[in-house]
Amino acid sequence: MKNSTETADCRVIFQPVGKRVVVKAGTTLLEAGRVAGLMLSANCGGVGVCGRCRVTVVSGETSAPSENELAYFDSTDHGLGDRLACETRVASSVVVEVPQGSLGEGQRLQVTGSDTSSFAGDPMIATHQLVLVPPGLEDSRSDYGRIVDALKEQGASIDWTMHPETGAQLSHLARANGWKLTAYSRGNELIGFSSPNRTVVGLAVDVGCTKIAAYLVDLQTGEQLAASGSPNPQLPYGEDLITRLVFASKAPTQAELMAKLLRDTIGELASSLASTAGVNLHEIADICIVGNTAMMHLLLKMPVGQLLYAPFVSSIDRDIDVRATELSLPSAPGAQVHVLPAIGGFVGADHVAFILSHGIDRSSKVTVGIDIGTNTEIVVHDPRNGAFIATSVPSGPAFEGGHMSDGMRAASGAIEKVFHVDGKLMVQTIDGLAPVGICGSGIIDLLAELWRLNYINERGHLNRSSKYVRAGKNGLEFLLVPAELSGSGRDIILTQHDITEIQLAKAAVYAGIATLLEIAGTAVADVQEMVVAGAFGSFLDLSSAVAIGLLPRLPNATYAQIGNAAGAGAKLALISRTEREQARLIAKLVTRVELKQHESFNRLLARATRLPAHLVKAVL
Ligand code: FES
């Protein structure tokens, strides 16, 4: 390491994105990336064990390779300058190459779900078109008094209230618009004003672990005016929610940072949506947010320590209303943020929104609903016996490409599909680029094909005598794409360890569904609908998912992939007070099941790691 003091300034340039930042010597490349606003992956939160923050130091002086790096890379990698960003400290100005597979940004962001435009809304917000009498020597009523009188003339003779910030907006806009205004009210509170003849809009947001989806909706018609998504800005602090909860629990400043990252990103999404739709930020009169339990705690800066230990108790699971200004979100001055209620534990407001949007609570069909991610939520509703139960299983980051040797998120160059033609494996990548890694849907396809083509047995063990199976530095591995055909210049492989990770993840989901059905007293043959929500679920090949035993084979059910159902539920609760009330009812009606307390879950979990020829006979 170069002889340098801890206080020297070092310029770090991240290529090919071109982000630059000046940091003190001794800063890790991961930290420099965070400061530069670079969405570097960091599954393990920066403790040097996941390998997702892999970068190449092109020039400049850095710390010597750590023990973790020596264990992770071989000597050839070191010769090429490959490093773990979380373990590498800068000692001079450096240029760093960041491969696509190490970036959280650029990932495919699923925002579409059911449309609300045909939905007859009854929003919380009323709109009033007002023409005021200007003040004069004979008329010195306050601006507020003029508004109240104008509303009284329209028949709205109630005891109005108004926050001082709303009053400040009133005095300014009334004069700027010649005493003609659009007023917004919620109950008896005047919450904001705009130019005459403007509409009123609301913002619906789904905060996921890896991405945030936001929608701008006309509150009067229910029409979606714009939709957009952004990677969750907390990704550089850990891929899974537990790592982020641990980070936030360590110091108030760290909890503050986690909240600020989410709030800033929601604010940026709101600004970009408003600009796309041609509305002003102060015309956003209502906001509805859903998300998993961890994200909602971090957003609202609620204590998270108790979420880290059994029995995983949340601070609050009822719905919450808070002024938008308290969360620094751009909106009408008196706008509120409504956070949907949670069912309990890690079965959060996003799952309530999912149930709401697909009408699982009001369906006459026996339904299994599932949202697969790093945490997978499952609900079973059997209207015949009234069973309505839900659970959450920690399925790990394998389905999002995490903890895999060549896993990556669903971004350009990721292998998203694997299939075979005449026994020969073929791959399809996002944007048709040369492959640089495998994302979740590709991993499920690959495992299914390896199983169908007998490259693995029912225990998932690679057949060492097969073509393309070879001994790697960490055991057996399957060569999917040779270096000369990949976009990274390296072989793309699936190791025996990777296969075990997928088996564990898929077993947790499968055993979770089977256990819930058992508790509900519902036979597999009685299930009429299987609903798969979420980004991963949207791109998943259902036949591959059933082939490896991620999803059960339900002989009499239809399978549906419904996209971002949580976002769709947030939109419904935004535009309709009836749906908002229904969300409260769902949270009360659904009973949360703690799977670990059920012996059958533990029994099924061990057996469900196997591949389905066995499962179909022995488990279901
Ligand atoms: S190894 Fe660097 S973040 Fe996990």
Side-chain angles (χ1 to χ4, degrees):
M1 180 173 168
K2 184 180 171 181
N3 199 5
S4 148
T5 68
E6 288 289 303
T7 53
D9 284 340
C10 304
R11 193 176 63 219
V12 183
I13 302 175
F14 292 99
Q15 299 289 24
V17 285
K19 289 204 167 159
R20 295 158 185 261
V21 67
V22 175
V23 295
K24 297 293 180 195
T27 306
T28 65
L29 289 175
L30 181 65
E31 188 54 37
R34 287 169 178 167
V35 177
L38 189 70
M39 204 67 76
L40 262 175
S41 293
N43 283 21
C44 66
V47 295
V49 295
C50 71
R52 282 297 295 270
C53 63
R54 178 182 190 141
V55 296
T56 303
V57 176
V58 178
S59 66
E61 302 288 333
T62 58
S63 55
S66 67
E67 272 183 30
N68 281 336
E69 290 179 285
L70 292 172
Y72 189 80
F73 294 117
D74 59 29
S75 52
T76 317
D77 295 328
H78 281 308
L80 293 170
D82 286 2
R83 304 295 302 268
L84 295 177
C86 64
E87 298 273 302
T88 306
R89 296 180 183 280
V90 297
S92 73
S93 291
V94 293
V95 176
V96 180
E97 184 87 18
V98 183
Q100 181 66 41
S102 299
L103 280 174
E105 49 203 5
Q107 63 179 305
R108 183 165 54 189
L109 299 164
Q110 170 77 13
V111 295
T112 52
S114 356
D115 193 5
T116 52
S117 52
S118 58
F119 194 85
D122 52 339
M124 304 293 293
I125 309 300
T127 309
H128 317 266
Q129 298 300 333
L130 301 175
V131 179
L132 308 178
V133 178
L137 290 177
E138 303 291 308
D139 180 0
S140 58
R141 287 173 298 161
S142 68
D143 295 341
Y144 166 76
R146 264 161 237 288
I147 287 284
V148 170
D149 289 345
L151 286 165
K152 198 182 289 179
E153 280 169 25
Q154 292 187 357
S157 185
I158 56 178
D159 187 14
W160 293 103
T161 66
M162 189 166 70
H163 191 276
E165 281 178 37
T166 313
Q169 187 201 31
L170 163 62
S171 296
H172 166 69
L173 283 180
R175 286 163 181 80
N177 288 289
W179 299 94
K180 291 184 185 144
L181 288 172
T182 302
Y184 307 126
S185 64
R186 181 187 55 246
N188 72 335
E189 183 182 354
L190 291 162
I191 62 159
F193 300 92
S194 190
S195 310
N197 303 316
R198 296 292 296 177
T199 186
V200 59
V201 299
L203 181 72
V205 185
D206 169 31
V207 184
C209 258
T210 54
K211 51 194 87 78
I212 299 177
Y215 312 83
L216 200 68
V217 181
D218 185 315
L219 289 180
Q220 287 175 323
T221 64
E223 183 191 355
Q224 180 177 295
L225 303 174
S228 186
S230 176
N232 186 315
Q234 298 174 337
L235 279 170
Y237 297 86
E239 193 110 341
D240 64 288
L241 53 87
I242 296 297
T243 308
R244 290 184 227 170
L245 290 176
V246 168
F247 179 83
S249 69
K250 283 193 172 150
T253 50
Q254 295 186 181
E256 182 76 42
L257 174 63
M258 289 288 101
K260 183 173 183 326
L261 287 169
L262 292 181
R263 295 171 185 184
D264 286 354
T265 300
I266 296 171
E268 284 158 18
L269 281 168
S271 299
S272 107
L273 293 176
S275 145
T276 303
V279 303
N280 299 302
L281 285 169
H282 66 257
E283 290 166 345
I284 298 176
D286 203 8
I287 299 175
C288 188
I289 300 186
V290 302
N292 62 54
T293 301
M295 288 303 114
M296 294 303 89
H297 276 61
L298 292 174
L299 174 73
L300 298 170
K301 267 198 289 173
M302 292 193 290
V304 295
Q306 78 290 345
L307 281 172
L308 292 166
Y309 305 100
F312 311 108
V313 175
S314 51
S315 276
I316 182 169
D317 53 11
R318 62 154 296 154
D319 54 313
I320 295 170
D321 289 298
V322 57
R323 277 173 61 86
T325 48
E326 285 181 47
L327 303 187
S328 310
L329 298 183
S331 63
Q336 278 190 340
V337 174
H338 180 77
V339 178
L340 257 59
I343 289 166
F346 282 108
V347 188
D350 52 351
H351 202 56
V352 170
F354 165 27
I355 294 168
L356 182 74
S357 73
H358 197 67
I360 292 174
D361 51 312
R362 290 160 273 186
S363 171
S364 59
K365 292 180 181 168
V366 178
T367 305
V368 176
I370 182 166
D371 190 343
I372 308 171
T374 51
N375 241 39
T376 295
E377 290 87 34
I378 308 163
V379 62
V380 168
H381 183 217
D382 189 338
R384 300 169 310 168
N385 60 16
F388 204 176
I389 52 180
T391 195
S392 163
V393 287
S395 36
F399 298 140
E400 310 215 339
H403 290 190
M404 300 277 117
S405 308
D406 284 313
M408 65 181 285
R409 290 201 195 82
S412 290
I415 296 171
E416 59 171 342
K417 277 191 188 311
V418 181
F419 52 99
H420 77 265
V421 177
D422 299 332
K424 190 167 185 292
L425 285 183
M426 317 284 278
V427 303
Q428 175 185 311
T429 62
I430 296 175
D431 297 332
L433 300 181
V436 291
I438 322 173
C439 67
S441 59
I443 288 168
I444 302 302
D445 277 351
L446 177 56
L447 193 67
E449 291 297 356
L450 294 183
W451 174 223
R452 289 180 187 124
L453 299 174
N454 291 321
Y455 281 105
I456 51 176
N457 63 20
E458 72 173 34
R459 289 177 180 274
H461 295 166
L462 280 164
N463 180 349
R464 62 176 66 238
S465 62
S466 299
K467 197 177 172 188
Y468 307 121
V469 175
R470 67 189 188 189
K473 67 180 177 193
N474 295 315
L476 288 182
E477 61 189 31
F478 179 83
L479 174 63
L480 179 61
V481 180
E484 61 271 22
L485 295 180
S486 80
S488 61
R490 301 171 197 280
D491 291 340
I492 297 178
I493 58 168
L494 188 76
T495 66
Q496 187 65 66
H497 176 262
D498 295 339
I499 293 171
T500 305
E501 286 276 339
I502 309 164
Q503 286 177 277
L504 291 173
K506 69 105 183 170
V509 173
Y510 190 98
I513 297 172
T515 306
L516 279 198
L517 286 174
E518 190 176 297
I519 295 168
T522 303
V524 168
D526 290 341
V527 178
Q528 294 165 289
E529 187 173 32
M530 160 70 87
V531 190
V532 184
F536 172 69
S538 299
F539 297 103
L540 181 67
D541 184 298
L542 290 177
S543 65
S544 293
V546 172
I548 67 161
L550 166 60
L551 298 180
R553 195 180 298 274
L554 302 168
N556 298 313
T558 53
Y559 289 70
Q561 291 165 287
I562 60 170
N564 189 341
K571 283 193 283 180
L572 286 178
L574 175 72
I575 62 174
S576 164
R577 70 177 70 218
T578 308
E579 294 296 308
R580 204 173 279 200
E581 195 48 51
Q582 188 66 22
R584 287 190 191 103
L585 189 61
I586 289 169
K588 286 194 187 117
L589 284 176
V590 181
T591 303
R592 179 172 74 101
V593 170
E594 186 52 70
L595 289 173
K596 290 255 166 62
Q597 290 175 351
H598 291 269
E599 188 278 325
S600 55
F601 175 71
N602 297 319
R603 175 172 45 82
L604 288 170
L605 189 59
R607 297 165 72 176
T609 56
R610 297 192 178 194
L611 292 150
H614 172 84
L615 284 171
V616 170
K617 286 189 223 129
V619 180
L620 288 177

